[in-house]
Amino acid sequence: MRASVLDSLDDFERWGDGCAYVFPRGYRRERWSYSRVAGVAYQFARELEARHIVKGDAVLLWGPNCAEWVAAFLGCALCGVIAVPVDDAASPDFACRISAQVRTKLVLCPRERASFFDARVFDGQESDGPVFDGPVTEKIATIDPADLAAVLAERPAERFRSAVIQPSDPLEIVFTSGTTAEPKGVVLTHANVVGNLVPIEKEIRKYLKYERLVHPIRFLNLLPLSHVFGQFLGIFLPPLLGGTVVFENTFNPTEVMATIRRERVSVLVAVPRMIDSLRQKVERDVEGGLTADGALPHPDGAEPRHHTSPHHTSSGENFSLRFAAAKSQHFLRRWWTFRDVRRRFGWKFWAIISGGAALDRETEEFWHRLGYAVVQGYGLTETTSLISLNHPFHTSRGSIGKVLPGREVKLAEDGEILVRGSGVASGYWNGHELQPVAGEEGWYRTGDLGALDEEGNLFFKGRKKEVMVTAAGMNIYPEDLEAALRQQKEVRDCVVVGLERGGNSEPCAVLILRDRTSDRNTDAAIDVPAILQRANETLAEYQRMRTWFVWPEEDFPRSATQKPRRNLIRDAVEAGLRGQAPASAASPLSELLTRITGRSIQDIQHLTPATSLEGALGLTSLERVELLSVLEDRYQIDLSETALANAATVGDLEKLLQGGRGDRGRPRDSESQSAVPDSPALQRPAFHYPRWTLRWPTTWVRLVSQYLLARPAVFLLGWPRVTGRENLRGVRGPLLVVSNHIADVDVGFIQTALPARIGHKMATATGGEALESLRSPGPNRAWFSRIYDRVQWVLGVALLNLFPLPRQAGFRRSFAYTGEAVDGGYSVLVFPEGKHTEDGKLLPFRSGVGLLANNLRIPILPMRIDGLFEIKKAGKKFAAPGKIQVRIGKPVQFVPGTDPEEIARALRKAIEALASDD
């Protein structure tokens, strides 16, 4: 019988070298075993003891999902130290207020956030760090998760228990509010977590004999570990099965699908919005598209969610027919019917777990129809996440599961869900004392409305505070009205809020329209009253909406779990209906630009479509790369990197976001098509990154060709004199090799100069546009020329291991491929100048090499080729032995976070310095 969370560490030790976590770090992916996580947890516990952080003290965990986060959390539990998780996207002000309230002794956060915890005096007086409202604090020590292993290297990794832990001891304090008032923390004990884990463990044991057939089960967890449900699916449940947890730092549907396939994920854990975004991605892309406007048959056989065009694409019609037929099919038949979808996700993917909010029935039915199991649960932070849970093999569609053993649920007279049991938190922490969570007779009022059927399935009806009461005393649930609005083809998303009218609430439909007009503050091109009329026809008389508001932004403001922030939406709507601007209302786009550029929100929030990205905001090319990532994550869409590179104003960005949303019926390639179809200047080729070049038998063929073809050719052209090989003693790679660029034969000279242990496993970045022109020659080329071009491409990528590094746009995918190659043990050769020298002198280095250095975190090897330019300039084909010289410098590394431009300049100086070495 489990007594505390520490028993989970026994599971970690039991699974030993089994893979526990896979997570991104820069452009690479780290893989941690169960034993390594346990070892670092023990090391972290010893570190806490050495820092005199003892039982009852607090440690703040403010960073992205990673294995170090888990190890630190378990290390705190070992010592009785209270973990205080904070969402990675939380504002510095929120994190610092929490830190002051719990009197944090240590913070685990990225190094760029360390300055927020320097000693400072508040209330506008002098400070050593940023100024926040709150009490005076001393400087708090911080550790970057990426540096945790190095910081703890001298601590023993053997089993360690420094404190006696009781089930009633606090495990963590999870803060659930604080946007307008002081943050309120929910205190969860070891007993709270164990009470929820035990009934799940008992049920899992029944199926362990079958789990062996598909071991290991891999979970792609997109929920933050600061969220209790994210902890259950990321820390506590997988060790029961010896499963692997995959973390991802993007919410781009295309990237998520790629991760599911690449990592052979079995179960996706995500919020409803992410699950719906994946649905839309499938609808757009499967079999080349759906109907002309993306229609799917309605799950209940009624009218489709989007009205269909009389003209169908053959692929879309085919999918629609299969989708309709699958309603009555056995799930095994559905697996086969939608095998094309399964091929895109990978054959091991079979289930989706939804958490953080209620999943709408239409999205649930869509995935069920495709043959996937959809598991919903219900709970709150105050109930340690879980109150009820659907059985993965006996789901009740539309419900949020049956109540778990060990807790009781009843409905109040008004339908509010009341719960009591071992999972209910011990209290709220207000900075001074504990306040009780449960009320009379131990019942906790959830604030949610629900219903129970005869079989004990619980159904979510909505938040009690969001229910609107009419003058006749009738209750209106926003979820019912939103479901009716989403059936309308013009509506992309919506929220219904209650507006005060004469002491009662009147429903107001807040709409984000699928087709946006050029003037974002007008709805002249959209007949909104007609939309409401069609939606109202499906509702009862007392539910009908008469007030509406078109939301001016591309998305609603959202919480960390992607729920619309209804209070902010309501305030903005009320101000807008009065003809006023919302107070202190920064748009999501303004917030993203603030984060990227570092400028104050006051400078950026009053943007106009004509605002220049480069002139007014000073957006650099590197910041554009970062902006593309955060836009895709924030809006969960695919964007064209070329289109962003050509965007000059804020208005261009808004058009880009609208195009990225796209028509659900139009198949889109995020890498090859412009987000603005009418702009041919934004078109560019799709770059290809074949993975077969990194695997057997290609690697064997490449090795043989190096000794039979490449090296003899290099020695024939000019036997090079190599200096500096002593700098590589004890260096095994992988390395980031940078060199000056003279001619196409540079690759051969560098591979020849390097030791076999490095040169045998090397991938070379080359001009993406030139390489792609060989892979996909234009239609104006003769047929034999196209064949010749394709043969050149195959030989280049197979024998020289070339991959495209575009000069204009498309860097992210190229950098991601670089990370995959390095993870596979390959060194990477890049020419930072980007083109051949024309006068023998070094050209300025592109800052992309700085991005690679920061995100690959491997040693960088400067090299230099001399003498080849003179041969080339003289028009000679061959050189005397020793005339061409290849110099190898000393491997260097930069502190993570160093400015990419500074890295590029430093590497250029390093290669220049090699010219004077003998």
Side-chain angles (χ1 to χ4, degrees):
M1 182 66 181
R2 294 177 183 268
S4 71
V5 169
L6 302 188
D7 293 324
S8 292
L9 271 169
D10 296 334
D11 296 327
F12 276 78
E13 293 180 351
R14 175 164 56 92
W15 290 109
D17 293 332
C19 183
Y21 295 100
V22 179
F23 58 98
R25 176 143 292 147
Y27 298 139
R28 304 185 61 185
R29 291 186 177 271
E30 294 197 18
R31 299 175 187 272
W32 282 43
S33 67
Y34 276 98
S35 59
R36 183 179 178 185
V37 175
V40 174
Y42 293 136
Q43 288 178 307
F44 190 74
R46 288 185 168 92
E47 179 72 14
L48 293 178
E49 185 179 59
R51 292 173 182 254
H52 306 291
I53 301 175
V54 298
K55 186 174 182 179
D57 289 337
V59 170
L60 198 74
L61 306 179
W62 183 27
N65 289 1
C66 59
E68 291 92 344
W69 199 107
V70 177
F73 181 89
L74 295 173
C76 289
L78 283 166
C79 300
V81 172
I82 301 172
V84 184
V86 178
D87 186 77
D88 183 47
S91 69
D93 175 70
F94 182 67
C96 289
R97 282 193 288 161
I98 289 175
S99 176
Q101 191 177 119
V102 299
R103 291 178 279 280
T104 303
K105 296 296 182 68
L106 178 68
V107 178
L108 188 77
C109 68
R111 60 171 50 83
E112 57 267 22
R113 297 174 180 172
S115 61
F116 296 127
F117 301 96
D118 289 345
R120 55 191 176 274
V121 179
F122 298 94
D123 300 326
Q125 300 180 31
E126 292 296 323
S127 65
D128 295 329
V131 176
F132 301 97
D133 295 329
V136 178
T137 63
E138 297 180 354
K139 181 174 182 178
I140 303 171
T142 62
I143 300 177
D144 189 325
D147 299 333
L148 186 63
V151 171
L152 305 178
E154 297 182 0
R155 307 290 179 195
E158 288 77 25
R159 189 180 179 91
F160 177 72
R161 302 284 173 95
S162 64
V164 177
I165 305 299
Q166 301 296 331
S168 59
D169 287 339
L171 171 68
E172 60 180 325
I173 303 178
V174 182
F175 285 82
T176 60
S177 64
T179 56
T180 58
E182 279 303 303
K184 179 174 62 175
V186 180
V187 181
L188 302 179
T189 66
H190 287 259
N192 291 145
V193 174
V194 171
N196 278 0
L197 194 59
V198 167
I200 298 175
E201 181 179 17
K202 288 181 179 178
E203 190 66 21
I204 284 177
R205 286 177 179 171
K206 301 177 183 178
Y207 298 92
L208 284 179
K209 58 182 178 182
Y210 306 109
E211 189 270 343
R212 298 172 187 169
L213 302 175
V214 293
H215 186 83
I217 293 178
R218 299 180 180 91
F219 300 83
L220 174 56
N221 188 358
L222 299 181
L223 294 178
L225 289 175
S226 57
H227 193 280
V228 183
F229 194 54
Q231 292 175 15
F232 263 87
L233 275 299
I235 301 177
F236 305 125
L237 189 145
L240 302 179
L241 304 162
T244 298
V245 179
V246 180
F247 294 131
E248 188 55 271
N249 60 4
T250 178
F251 297 110
N252 179 309
T254 300
E255 298 298 330
V256 169
M257 289 176 65
T259 299
I260 291 173
R261 180 183 175 90
R262 181 186 61 250
E263 300 295 339
R264 302 180 66 215
V265 166
S266 311
V267 180
L268 169 67
V269 184
V271 296
R273 184 171 180 244
M274 181 73 250
I275 299 170
D276 189 60
S277 295
L278 282 174
R279 168 197 169 161
Q280 295 178 33
K281 174 67 177 173
V282 171
E283 290 176 352
R284 287 195 302 265
D285 293 352
V286 71
E287 295 188 14
L290 304 181
T291 60
D293 61 357
L296 277 177
H298 192 274
D300 298 325
E303 288 294 319
R305 178 175 180 175
H306 303 294
H307 292 248
T308 60
S309 165
H311 304 288
H312 296 262
T313 63
S314 59
S315 58
E317 185 176 12
N318 176 276
F319 182 80
S320 296
L321 292 173
R322 287 185 293 150
F323 188 85
K327 183 176 182 180
S328 58
Q329 290 177 350
H330 188 273
F331 82 94
L332 291 177
R333 177 70 179 275
R334 281 182 267 126
W335 271 52
W336 177 251
T337 298
F338 296 103
R339 59 190 179 278
D340 54 337
V341 177
R342 297 197 165 276
R343 194 177 299 115
R344 295 171 66 84
F345 282 97
W347 294 101
K348 201 173 182 184
F349 181 56
W350 63 276
I352 298 172
I353 298 178
S354 175
L359 182 66
D360 70 83
R361 300 188 68 169
E362 192 173 355
T363 300
E364 180 184 14
E365 175 65 19
F366 175 85
W367 291 107
H368 171 77
R369 194 83 68 89
L370 266 58
Y372 294 100
V374 180
V375 180
Q376 288 198 72
Y378 169 67
L380 301 92
T381 303
E382 287 86 348
T383 62
T384 322
S385 183
L386 290 175
I387 295 173
S388 64
L389 186 67
N390 257 315
H391 195 292
F393 304 126
H394 306 287
T395 58
S396 174
R397 295 203 297 278
S399 83
I400 49 179
K402 294 185 177 180
V403 177
L404 292 175
R407 65 223 68 225
E408 302 174 67
V409 166
K410 71 175 183 178
L411 301 179
E413 292 183 0
D414 59 359
E416 183 179 4
I417 301 172
L418 276 61
V419 60
R420 68 180 178 186
S422 58
V424 177
S426 61
Y428 291 115
W429 175 253
N430 64 3
H432 307 285
E433 59 183 358
L434 275 178
Q435 297 176 337
V437 167
E440 186 177 350
E441 298 181 356
W443 290 102
Y444 169 66
R445 291 185 170 273
T446 63
D448 294 328
L449 301 175
L452 287 164
D453 66 9
E454 296 178 354
E455 298 179 355
N457 294 304
L458 185 61
F459 293 82
F460 180 79
K461 305 295 288 184
R463 290 290 293 167
K464 182 177 178 180
K465 66 180 180 181
E466 300 298 341
V467 173
M468 292 159 277
V469 182
T470 68
M474 304 295 290
N475 290 342
I476 301 176
Y477 300 100
E479 289 77 8
D480 295 337
L481 279 58
E482 291 164 3
L485 288 168
R486 290 193 177 100
Q487 299 300 317
Q488 311 311 311
K489 64 179 181 179
E490 302 92 344
V491 177
R492 191 177 73 223
D493 202 358
C494 64
V495 167
V496 175
V497 297
L499 303 180
E500 290 295 324
R501 294 291 187 271
N504 299 305
S505 290
E506 175 183 315
C508 175
V510 187
L511 307 174
I512 296 179
L513 301 174
R514 190 169 300 280
D515 296 320
R516 305 292 297 278
T517 61
S518 58
D519 182 356
R520 71 182 191 177
N521 293 320
T522 182
D523 55 279
I526 305 294
D527 189 358
V528 178
I531 297 174
L532 261 66
Q533 181 179 350
R534 292 197 304 269
N536 284 336
E537 288 172 356
T538 66
L539 299 170
E541 176 64 32
Y542 71 91
Q543 293 177 303
R544 294 184 176 177
M545 299 162 282
R546 295 170 178 82
T547 307
W548 49 267
F549 184 87
V550 176
W551 192 254
E553 305 294 339
E554 287 298 323
D555 195 14
F556 296 119
R558 295 183 182 272
S559 67
T561 53
Q562 298 299 299
K563 298 177 184 176
R565 301 177 68 179
R566 292 177 182 267
N567 59 328
L568 297 182
I569 296 171
R570 182 184 295 106
D571 292 344
V573 168
E574 290 176 342
L577 292 177
R578 291 194 303 266
Q580 302 172 354
S584 302
S587 71
L589 182 57
S590 298
E591 293 176 351
L592 293 179
L593 289 171
T594 299
R595 190 198 316 174
I596 298 300
T597 63
R599 299 183 63 180
S600 68
I601 192 70
Q602 289 78 13
D603 293 339
I604 288 182
Q605 66 178 356
H606 299 299
L607 298 176
T608 67
T611 302
S612 170
L613 297 178
E614 188 171 344
L617 300 181
L619 203 65
T620 67
S621 59
L622 293 180
E623 289 173 339
R624 284 177 184 263
V625 174
E626 186 179 358
L627 178 62
L628 182 66
S629 297
V630 297
L631 284 174
E632 288 187 332
D633 288 347
R634 175 61 180 83
Y635 296 103
Q636 298 187 7
I637 54 177
D638 298 326
L639 296 175
S640 165
E641 200 165 332
T642 304
L644 184 65
N646 286 273
T649 66
V650 172
D652 292 339
L653 273 185
E654 292 173 340
K655 291 178 181 178
L656 180 64
L657 292 175
Q658 295 169 25
R661 295 281 185 183
D663 184 346
R664 290 172 62 179
R666 180 188 305 152
R668 292 180 50 80
D669 181 355
S670 63
E671 292 297 331
S672 65
Q673 295 189 27
S674 167
V676 186
D678 295 332
S679 303
L682 300 185
Q683 300 290 334
R684 68 169 176 80
F687 300 103
H688 293 80
Y689 300 85
R691 269 63 179 179
W692 53 265
T693 62
L694 304 179
R695 296 192 293 265
W696 177 91
T698 308
T699 52
W700 287 16
V701 174
R702 183 183 305 126
L703 181 62
V704 172
S705 71
Q706 280 188 18
Y707 285 96
L708 294 183
L709 300 174
R711 291 203 175 203
V714 167
F715 293 147
L716 181 63
L717 290 173
W719 197 299
R721 182 161 61 96
V722 181
T723 60
R725 275 185 175 156
E726 66 278 3
N727 294 326
L728 295 178
R729 289 172 184 164
V731 177
R732 305 208 56 88
L735 301 170
L736 177 60
V737 182
V738 296
S739 172
N740 60 326
H741 203 10
I742 309 291
D744 292 340
V745 295
D746 292 348
V747 178
F749 282 104
I750 288 175
Q751 286 186 331
T752 301
L754 290 171
R757 65 182 182 275
I758 298 174
H760 285 176
K761 295 196 71 174
M762 177 175 289
T764 302
T766 190
E769 292 78 7
L771 190 63
E772 187 56 36
S773 68
L774 298 177
R775 167 63 174 75
S776 306
N780 58 330
R781 298 275 288 173
W783 65 269
F784 55 88
S785 297
R786 291 200 297 270
I787 294 175
Y788 178 69
D789 289 346
R790 182 61 71 90
V791 170
Q792 287 188 84
W793 178 82
V794 171
L795 293 177
V797 298
L799 303 186
L800 298 177
N801 204 8
L802 303 178
F803 68 91
L805 180 59
R807 295 177 180 176
Q808 301 300 325
F811 314 110
R812 292 188 313 139
R813 194 173 173 196
S814 181
F815 290 169
Y817 179 85
T818 303
E820 288 184 42
V822 172
D823 287 341
Y826 284 83
S827 295
V828 176
L829 169 63
V830 297
F831 298 100
E833 295 168 279
K835 60 180 181 179
H836 297 163
T837 180
E838 297 178 356
D839 56 5
K841 297 180 181 179
L842 276 178
L843 299 171
F845 280 14
R846 295 178 174 239
S847 54
V849 71
L851 284 176
L852 286 172
N854 270 332
N855 289 282
L856 293 178
R857 299 193 178 196
I858 56 177
I860 305 169
L861 180 67
M863 296 184 65
R864 182 183 177 97
I865 302 174
D866 286 314
L868 181 59
F869 178 78
E870 289 73 16
I871 302 298
K872 177 183 175 181
K873 185 177 180 180
K876 298 180 179 180
K877 300 294 184 182
F878 304 98
K883 184 68 175 178
I884 298 173
Q885 184 172 2
V886 181
R887 295 182 170 94
I888 303 174
K890 294 182 179 180
V892 296
Q893 280 190 284
F894 296 88
V895 176
T898 303
D899 178 56
E901 298 280 1
E902 181 181 335
I903 294 176
R905 289 192 295 268
L907 291 176
R908 187 176 185 275
K909 289 181 180 179
I911 293 179
E912 280 182 333
L914 290 176
S916 59
D917 295 342
D918 263 310

